[in-house]
Amino acid sequence: MGGRRTEFEIYWEILVFCKSPRSFTAIINRCDLNSKTGQEYLEFLRSKGYLSLTKDGERSTWVATGRAHEYIALFTEIYQKLFDTIPGFKL
Amino acid sequence: MTDETLTRFKSELDSFFVLVLLNMVFGALAMAFGMQFIIASVLGLAGGQSTPALRILAGSISLVGFGLGLSWVLSSAKILKGINAIRREFRSCPAPVTGEVLTGWILQMTAHYRQNKKAIGLMTRICTLGGCVFLALGIINLIGAVAVWGSPAGILVASLFFITTAINLTIGIASLRFSSYFRRYSRAWDNRIDEVSQNEKALHNFMERG
């Protein structure tokens, strides 16, 4: 997913994608990020306890924690409300 | 909440897709008729018509119409590309649609609007301007029809002028209508973007807590 997104939208995308364990490369490809910003986002989410990093030998994977589900739920509610409370466009 | 939201989202996505598609068709028509009227005006001048000033004016306005039509088609194509990608994803998704999938699409629409806000604004202005140009052309051709009505060329030439007038007025009115639809779409999305900005504080607080 590309386009102009806010940091909170990118957090949401990362957390939803990481409901299953994901590699760093898979995350930055899916969320359309470069390595540098991708690393910054992941580190931020880990520092806040929304993501955890698991190392299995050579392979490292990121996975969303229980706290991430609360953020996902709040975000989902806010964005769906955009279509519920604000008069939309119809021909 | 998801079902109702999904219905609203689908309705809006389809409406906007149809609007941009129709707009593109009318842009192409504007381009085609603009070119046709330029040629007709030049031929009219060469044929020594009785109203050369009117022909020169119609030719100049047609040239502007052609240019507007071109930028009209290009802007529509840009907007359509993004909306079509979202629509394709929407149509290929098997039911039932989860809240997260729907939120992902809403997010894509939000990002699409942010990215194309300027293009949509330009589209609105082009439609308004294009509509005025074609209405002006319609009026000029109507004057032309009235001018030749009593001449020896007779009813045939006047009828051609009337047909041209009808085409011009149709494109003009449709364009003005499209511009008002684009304005409505922008208003709805500007309100949503404002709402997102207001809620960023809540998301920030949530992120930062404990």
Side-chain angles (χ1 to χ4, degrees), chain A residues 1 3-4 6 9 12 19 48 50 67 70-72 76 78-80 82-84 88-91, chain B residues 1 5 8 12 15 99-100 103-104 107-108 111 114-115 181 184 192 196 200 206-210:
Chain A
M1 198 187 292
R4 287 190 192 164
T6 64
E9 290 168 351
W12 180 84
K19 277 186 163 182
K48 297 291 174 190
Y50 292 97
R67 287 192 67 193
E70 292 173 41
Y71 177 79
I72 291 169
T76 301
I78 290 171
Y79 275 70
Q80 289 199 13
L82 296 179
F83 275 81
D84 294 330
F89 166 75
K90 202 176 175 188
L91 281 181
Chain B
M1 186 163 81
T5 315
R8 287 196 189 109
E12 185 160 327
S15 292
E100 275 163 24
T103 308
L107 212 160
Q108 283 188 52
R114 280 194 201 109
Q115 197 154 20
Y181 284 136
R184 266 171 47 195
R192 287 183 183 134
V196 165
E200 276 189 354
F206 188 91
M207 267 284 163
E208 293 294 332
R209 78 174 188 187

